[in-house]
Structure formats: C-alpha cells, structure tokens
Amino acid sequence: MTSPSRHSALGIVAFITSLCGVALFSIALGLGYLFVQRHAEVEGLALAPTLGVLGLISIGLNGLAGLLGVGSVLQHRRRRLFGVLALILSLAVLCVYLTLGVWTHHRWQQRPPPAVPAAHAPALPT
C-alpha cells in the first residue's frame, strides 16, 4: 500500500482560513483590552460595534475552517496534516469564544447597580 503523496488542497485552505480567523480574534481581543484599560470608567463603549463585527467575522471564519477541516480529514489518498491542524485551531478558538461569553455573562450579572448622582436622586418625603 502506498502512502498518500500530496497534501489536501481543502486542508490547506482550511488552515489559511483558520489562521485568518485567529488573526481577527487576536486583533479584536487586543483592541478590546487596550480600550478597556484606557477607558475603564466609561460605561458606553464606542468601540463595541467594531469589536462585535470583528468577533462575528472571526467566529464565521473559524466555523468555516472547521467545516473545511472535517472535509479535508475525510478525503482519501491525501495527507491530512493541514486539515487536522485547521480543525484543532478552529475548535480551540471557538472554545475560547464560548468561555469568554460565559465569563462575560457571569460578570455582567454580578456587577453592582450604577450609582445615582445626588442631583438625580429622588427627593425623600419629610
């Protein structure tokens, strides 16, 4: 029996797609971290829509890379290295997104209520 001779083109495309998704994830995470560190006191995040779009594109790219990686792994007579790497990388990034989402949800529920300034506080009856 002969060994597979060529790498799967589908696996190479999956790996490149996964790397693009990881790059967008890193950019979104880095921008978000820098923005929060500089403007921790700001309630409304002006950068949030941009980070959300980058995050959604990254999730889509990693989902696509996962599907392409599965397709590459199922191909016959091709080397599956890039397909397996793409599958592992995309699943890892998607798990990190899920973990960050759960952490953010718990943190959002546990935050203290916003402080009401004295000028806007309701007057107490005397």
Side-chain angles (χ1 to χ4, degrees):
M1 182 174 235
T2 62
S3 65
S5 60
R6 296 181 359 183
H7 287 286
S8 170
L10 198 59
I12 294 171
V13 170
F15 186 66
I16 292 171
T17 305
S18 180
L19 287 178
C20 290
V22 169
L24 282 178
F25 171 72
S26 301
I27 290 169
L29 197 63
L31 284 176
Y33 180 74
L34 289 175
F35 186 77
V36 168
Q37 288 298 322
R38 285 193 178 181
H39 306 287
E41 70 278 354
V42 178
E43 281 292 320
L45 297 177
L47 196 60
T50 304
L51 295 177
V53 168
L54 284 176
L56 287 176
I57 292 172
S58 175
I59 288 172
L61 283 175
N62 281 304
L64 178 65
L67 292 174
L68 290 172
V70 168
S72 170
V73 169
L74 296 177
Q75 280 185 334
H76 296 290
R77 296 185 184 155
R78 297 281 187 240
R79 291 185 184 164
R80 296 174 177 93
L81 173 68
F82 287 111
V84 170
L85 288 176
L87 195 57
I88 290 170
L89 197 57
S90 65
L91 286 176
V93 171
L94 291 174
C95 286
V96 168
Y97 266 118
L98 183 65
T99 304
L100 282 174
V102 169
W103 179 77
T104 304
H105 178 70
H106 286 294
R107 189 131 166 163
W108 183 266
Q109 286 183 340
Q110 293 174 356
R111 73 178 186 158
V116 178
H120 298 291
L124 297 175
T126 56

